[in-house]
């Protein structure tokens, strides 16, 4: 798995959110610190890390959970979406147009993985129905021509190169008439130990002759955040349109390389995740972060944030409530739904019969203040106790209070609230709203 360590650290952050009692500033601070630690370990640039976590914290504290979304889900979504933005947000696909041939040129330093990636790219586009050929223009390393021939043979594509020729432009010109037969040319170029004037000049010369549609910088993920310098330099030399980050399988520093490249504005198009020809993927920030976080169904979760709890659902809850036939679990669900839907007054409006009542504002506010505490208390109860609160003994009240970090009186107050609500709902079923109102006022105090 790519970036295994980063992934497991980030998964722990999510676990932490899931296991937390309440989403408050303390929790947000804790998870922000854990995210920082995880990203710094993956060699992400310090400034980038702090910018990201500042943004997460601000949003977590400022934004309200949309209707239908719990505070925890909101927080997970913020972490997810900020990480996606961090990695460039949208997937940047290279569309092979009808022009024959479309040309992709790979550039980069020695050993970054250019030649290997030529084979991977070729296979990727062959699978999508394109007729592909490779062109070997690495004239500096004696073994380079043999290597690309081998790559071509392995995946069964034509390779055009001239062993011993020192001028890359000559090689290209020699075969140019034949290239029209192909949909896509993938052109391998020479590297250097470091980005030198000499390399830039050679690339410019080759580019002028070829007029590549895409020039992709191949960069090794194991150099971590120093990838930024390289990506920037190649970008400023006008030499690249995108980036391929390789060797993400074998390094803990990949987070640094990916984020550094994202920061340079040249999009990451593909990633290399192994030595074999199929160890290659398009780079899609959403899918990538989703996998890192271990959220296969992140899409579903995101959908949920968009959906408000429907009026229909609210009515169903209301009906159950009104029948007087509800237990603690229902109350808990009700509270959670209430939290999600916003102000309690609004919820009351949606429940049949309640809309016409004028519930005193103070009462509404008092109840809202209690909701969070009640939630924590209920989380300390067993399932059986939630289903049948009458089974809760005095000792259990003390235990629950301890578990929730509240006073036993507060647990008793909640039990009282439950019994009163239940009684109230039964009453409401039979008798008029007038009488109910009187009772209702009693609860607030
Ligand atoms: P070039 O000098 O830029 O052409 O680099 P090469 O294509 O010759 O690759 C250099 C080394 O990196 C080779 O041993 C490749 O097998 C290895 N390599 C390339 N891409 C990957 C990758 O995604 N993962 C791993 N583990 N190794 C890779
Ligand atoms: Mg090579």
């Amino acid at each position: 798995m790519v970036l295994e360590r980063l992934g497991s650290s980030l998964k722990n952050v999510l676990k932490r959110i899931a296991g937390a009692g309440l989403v408050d500033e303390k929790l947000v601070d804790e998870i922000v610190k854990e995210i920082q630690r995880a990203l710094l370990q993956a060699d992400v640039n310090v400034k980038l890390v702090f910018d990201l976590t500042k943004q997460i914290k601000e949003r977590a504290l400022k934004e309200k959970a949309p209707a239908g979304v719990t505070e925890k889900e909101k927080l997970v979504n913020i972490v997810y979406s900020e990480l996606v933005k961090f990695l460039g947000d949208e997937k940047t696909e290279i569309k092979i147009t009808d022009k024959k041939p479309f040309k992709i040129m790979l550039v980069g330093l020695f050993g970054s993985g250019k030649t290997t990636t030529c084979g991977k790219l070729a296979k990727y586009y062959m699978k999508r129905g394109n007729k592909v050929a490779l062109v070997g223009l690495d004239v500096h390393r004696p073994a380079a021509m043999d290597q690309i021939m081998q790559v071509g043979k392995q995946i069964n594509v034509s390779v055009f190169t001239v062993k011993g020729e020192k001028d890359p432009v000559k090689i290209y010109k020699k075969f140019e008439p034949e290239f029209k037969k192909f949909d896509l040319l993938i052109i391998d170029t020479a590297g250097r130990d470091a980005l030198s004037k000499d390399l830039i000049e050679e690339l410019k010369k080759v580019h002028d002759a070829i007029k590549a549609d895409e020039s992709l910088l191949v960069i090794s993920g194991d150099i971590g955040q120093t990838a930024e310098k390289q990506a920037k330099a190649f970008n400023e030399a006008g030499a690249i349109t995108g980036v391929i980050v390789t060797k993400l399988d074998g390094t803990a520093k990949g987070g640094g390389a990916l984020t550094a490249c994202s920061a340079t504005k040249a999009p990451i198009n593909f990633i290399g995740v192994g030595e074999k020809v199929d160890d290659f993927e398009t780079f899609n920030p959403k899918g990538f972060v989703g996998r890192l976080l271990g959220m296969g169904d992140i899409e579903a979760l995101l959908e949920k944030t968009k959906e408000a709890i429907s009026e229909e659902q609210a009515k169903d809850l209301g009906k159950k409530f009104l029948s007087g036939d509800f237990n603690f679990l229902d109350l808990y669900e009700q509270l959670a739904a209430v939290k999600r839907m916003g102000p309690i007054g609004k919820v009351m409006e949606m429940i049949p019969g309640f809309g016409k009542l004028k519930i005193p504002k103070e009462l509404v506010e008092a109840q809202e203040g209690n909701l969070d505490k009640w939630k924590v208390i209920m989380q300390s109860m067993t399932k059986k106790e939630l289903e049948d609160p009458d089974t809760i003994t005095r000792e259990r009240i003390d235990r629950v209070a301890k578990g929730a970090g509240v006073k036993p009186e507060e647990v008793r107050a909640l039990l009282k609230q439950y019994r009163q609500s239940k009684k109230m709902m039964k009453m409401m079923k039979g008798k008029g709203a007038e009488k109910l109102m009187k009772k209702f006022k009693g609860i607030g105090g």
Side-chain angles (χ1 to χ4, degrees):
M1 154 91 190
V2 172
L3 299 185
E4 201 154 336
R5 188 159 173 204
L6 178 60
S8 82
S9 304
L10 291 175
K11 278 185 204 109
N12 281 336
V13 169
L14 296 197
K15 269 190 211 138
R16 178 112 173 198
I17 296 174
L22 276 182
V23 174
D24 54 13
E25 187 159 358
K26 187 166 158 276
L27 175 71
V28 172
D29 276 334
E30 278 169 16
I31 65 140
V32 156
K33 281 214 186 79
E34 280 185 40
I35 293 171
Q36 285 170 349
R37 208 174 305 137
L39 293 174
L40 291 172
Q41 266 174 1
D43 198 43
V44 179
N45 173 280
V46 178
K47 184 177 178 305
L48 291 180
V49 170
F50 282 97
D51 287 349
L52 170 79
T53 50
K54 189 168 159 246
Q55 185 69 11
I56 290 177
K57 187 172 172 185
E58 266 177 26
R59 285 187 57 192
L61 297 179
K62 204 165 67 191
E63 285 175 22
K64 280 216 161 103
V69 176
T70 65
E71 282 294 318
K72 288 180 187 181
E73 284 167 344
K74 179 198 82 177
L75 190 52
V76 170
N77 280 328
I78 290 174
V79 170
Y80 164 80
S81 63
E82 287 300 321
L83 283 171
V84 169
K85 211 157 65 178
F86 199 42
L87 285 173
D89 223 356
E90 287 304 317
K91 170 172 160 180
T92 323
E93 226 169 341
I94 295 180
K95 281 254 180 310
I96 306 299
T97 62
D98 284 345
K99 110 185 238 273
K100 275 196 167 190
F102 190 89
K103 298 166 205 163
I104 300 179
M105 182 167 119
L106 299 188
V107 305
L109 301 184
F110 276 152
S112 58
K114 289 180 298 302
T115 308
T116 312
T117 304
C118 278
K120 292 176 173 180
L121 257 184
K123 180 131 189 232
Y124 177 86
Y125 283 109
M126 276 161 68
K127 274 195 211 154
R128 283 155 184 78
N130 295 291
K131 196 168 177 218
V132 186
L134 300 180
V135 185
L137 301 186
D138 182 355
V139 294
H140 288 271
R141 287 213 294 208
M145 305 298 186
D146 292 329
Q147 192 192 352
I148 196 155
M149 295 295 284
Q150 230 170 1
V151 166
K153 204 167 150 196
Q154 194 197 343
I155 53 172
N156 214 2
V157 297
S158 313
V159 178
F160 297 93
T161 192
V162 181
K163 242 176 142 169
E165 173 58 63
K166 287 291 167 203
D167 182 354
V169 174
K170 268 193 190 151
I171 302 176
Y172 185 82
K173 292 286 179 206
K174 179 173 181 216
F175 298 109
E176 201 165 13
E178 297 191 48
F179 294 152
K180 288 190 188 69
K181 287 188 284 191
F182 298 94
D183 301 320
L184 174 64
L185 279 193
I186 295 169
I187 299 135
D188 192 18
T189 63
R192 298 290 190 278
D193 282 327
L195 184 70
S196 58
K197 256 205 189 115
D198 162 49
L199 175 59
I200 294 285
E201 261 158 38
E202 178 176 326
L203 292 178
K204 276 195 174 140
K205 208 175 79 184
V206 171
H207 191 272
D208 282 348
I210 295 176
K211 302 211 167 37
D213 299 288
E214 295 279 344
S215 299
L216 305 182
L217 173 66
V218 179
I219 207 162
S220 174
D222 61 13
I223 65 172
Q225 57 177 290
T226 54
E228 183 180 1
K229 235 168 137 183
Q230 245 188 70
K232 261 195 176 145
F234 273 95
N235 200 19
E236 275 157 20
I240 58 170
T241 56
V243 180
I244 299 177
V245 181
T246 63
K247 306 187 198 178
L248 281 176
D249 51 308
T251 174
K253 287 185 170 186
L258 289 172
T259 48
C261 291
S262 298
T264 65
K265 305 275 181 284
I268 300 172
N269 298 113
F270 295 94
I271 54 176
V273 296
E275 291 189 77
K276 297 205 188 70
V277 71
D278 288 313
D279 297 332
F280 192 63
E281 299 171 8
T282 50
F283 184 62
N284 170 9
K286 288 185 180 131
F288 190 79
V289 173
R291 254 188 302 164
L292 267 188
L293 296 178
M295 301 190 289
D297 50 0
I298 185 73
E299 292 293 332
L301 183 60
L302 292 178
E303 261 322 291
K304 206 174 154 201
T305 57
K306 291 186 206 138
E307 283 169 22
I309 181 162
S310 69
E311 220 156 301
E312 204 69 14
Q313 280 172 296
K315 275 182 191 153
D316 281 350
L317 274 171
K319 260 187 222 147
K320 200 163 183 188
F321 229 45
L322 288 176
S323 72
D325 176 30
F326 73 103
N327 61 28
F328 234 150
L329 272 181
D330 294 323
L331 183 62
Y332 183 90
E333 262 172 41
Q334 183 79 1
L335 291 180
V338 163
K339 274 305 269 185
R340 282 185 236 136
M341 285 191 282
I344 241 185
K346 192 96 196 274
V347 180
M348 293 301 194
E349 276 169 28
M350 292 169 95
I351 300 175
F354 271 50
K356 289 184 198 73
L357 301 176
K358 287 274 170 288
I359 298 164
K361 203 165 157 270
E362 299 76 32
L363 172 59
V364 169
E365 279 163 8
Q367 302 295 31
E368 273 187 280
N370 277 332
L371 287 180
D372 286 334
K373 197 183 285 165
W374 289 347
K375 252 177 111 168
V376 177
I377 295 173
M378 288 190 207
Q379 276 167 343
S380 297
M381 293 179 180
T382 65
K383 188 157 180 290
K384 187 167 171 288
E385 286 165 347
L386 286 171
E387 278 164 359
D388 188 6
D390 292 330
T391 63
I392 301 176
T393 60
R394 188 174 301 175
E395 289 91 280
R396 278 298 301 160
I397 289 179
D398 290 343
R399 282 295 309 150
V400 169
K402 232 188 205 148
V406 300
K407 294 193 191 98
E409 292 89 311
E410 291 175 293
V411 179
R412 263 182 229 114
L414 172 61
L415 289 170
K416 192 173 156 208
Q417 167 78 57
Y418 162 74
R419 285 188 198 107
Q420 277 181 329
S421 305
K422 195 162 171 154
K423 225 195 273 167
M424 181 179 83
M425 293 306 165
K426 274 195 176 134
M427 253 184 58
M428 183 159 169
K429 209 170 129 192
K431 304 186 181 130
E434 284 294 275
K435 208 159 185 176
L436 171 81
M437 244 351 262
K438 276 185 207 140
K439 275 279 177 199
F440 214 122
K441 274 184 183 144
I443 297 171

